[in-house]
Amino acid sequence: GAGVSQSPRYKVAKRGQDVALRCDPISGHVSLFWYQQALGQGPEFLTYFQNEAQLDKSGLPSDRFFAERPEGSVSTLKIQRTQQEDSAVYLCASSPTRDPTAGELFFGEGSRLTVL
Amino acid sequence: AQSVTQLDSQVPVFEEAPVELRCNYSSSVSVYLFWYVQYPNQGLQLLLKYLSGSTLVKGINGFEAEFNKSQTSFHLRKPSVHISDTAEYFCAVRGSTLGRLYFGRGTQLTVWP
């Protein structure tokens, strides 16, 4: 596609529910990132994939958070047993390079999660 | 450790006035610095980046930033803003781990007619 696509754009969940957020990166992009952006804050790193390999998951806030990219393209961020503090915008970004910090990240519009 | 401080959460200016958005960083690795812009209901978009070389970096839409190593700053400037520049601006620094960026809290620039 033309850009990074994320779905759903908005998700309301009751506390304790599981949610899955999807990211379609730009075709051919090697690197994929998930960031969490709480209200009034900048994006915070969650995890990083290079193709299907998850190279860094140190930013995931708890073991309720899980991300995968099984075929090296589409990625899913899953949050189990959601809590109110999980309410945030979840941003996906992709890059065509293996060292994306030397270049540009292409961001999707985000998935806004509200946990009631 | 890496971190970014954006000193102003909101900057209101009138159209055609100059603007400076401030960013200070700390980094224990080679410094790569970035400014991203987020227009309403859109994803973040790269404005400009400093990797090495000239300390004055020019970006899109007439923005520029100057890397100052002694002051650990990377302030963003534009000599004359337009209403269409109204957006949130994020400064970011590369982390020591491959792929990771550390973002500041953002500065909301609002341009008034």
Side-chain angles (χ1 to χ4, degrees):
Chain A
V4 178
S5 177
Q6 293 188 245
S7 61
R9 290 290 312 279
Y10 303 92
K11 175 69 178 178
V12 178
K14 292 183 179 179
R15 190 173 55 178
Q17 281 185 329
D18 297 348
V19 300
L21 308 176
R22 176 187 168 102
C23 173
D24 267 288
I26 294 172
S27 178
H29 277 200
V30 170
S31 299
L32 184 145
F33 300 81
W34 284 98
Y35 281 83
Q36 180 191 59
Q37 187 176 13
L39 189 63
Q41 304 293 321
E44 292 205 4
F45 173 87
L46 292 177
T47 187
Y48 163 49
F49 290 87
Q50 198 174 93
N51 296 310
E52 69 279 2
Q54 190 173 21
L55 297 189
D56 186 351
K57 58 180 181 180
S58 62
L60 296 176
S62 78
D63 58 7
R64 296 185 295 104
F65 287 72
F66 173 76
E68 61 182 4
R69 193 186 186 199
E71 297 179 0
S73 55
V74 171
S75 177
T76 304
L77 176 67
K78 297 179 179 178
I79 309 172
Q80 297 177 324
R81 304 182 303 281
T82 52
Q83 304 294 317
Q84 284 189 323
E85 61 263 27
D86 300 335
S87 295
V89 177
Y90 290 85
L91 301 172
C92 178
S94 69
S95 170
T97 67
R98 293 183 185 279
D99 181 10
T101 51
E104 178 175 357
L105 295 185
F106 295 83
F107 281 84
E109 295 176 342
S111 292
R112 182 180 296 275
L113 172 65
T114 303
V115 181
L116 303 177
Chain B
Q2 288 67 239
S3 68
V4 172
T5 302
Q6 291 184 246
L7 298 167
D8 306 298
S9 59
Q10 297 195 39
V11 173
V13 295
F14 288 108
E15 195 173 19
E16 297 182 7
V19 71
E20 177 179 83
L21 305 184
R22 296 180 294 170
C23 172
N24 287 86
Y25 68 90
S26 67
S27 179
S28 57
V29 297
S30 298
V31 178
Y32 292 177
L33 291 158
F34 306 81
W35 276 98
Y36 279 83
V37 60
Q38 187 173 32
Y39 298 104
N41 299 314
Q42 294 187 27
L44 280 79
Q45 177 184 356
L46 182 67
L47 260 184
L48 49 80
K49 62 185 178 186
Y50 170 79
L51 304 182
S52 64
S54 173
T55 57
L56 184 63
V57 180
K58 294 189 183 298
I60 61 172
N61 300 338
F63 283 92
E64 63 181 31
E66 185 159 17
F67 170 58
N68 188 318
K69 187 175 182 179
S70 63
Q71 297 186 8
T72 61
S73 68
F74 191 55
H75 301 332
L76 181 69
R77 303 186 182 100
K78 186 170 182 178
S80 176
V81 293
H82 302 124
I83 289 177
S84 60
D85 292 323
T86 294
E88 185 128 29
Y89 292 79
F90 293 93
C91 182
V93 64
R94 181 187 77 153
S96 56
T97 306
L98 184 67
R100 183 182 291 210
L101 290 181
Y102 290 85
F103 285 86
R105 295 180 62 172
T107 298
Q108 174 64 45
L109 173 64
T110 303
V111 181
W112 298 98

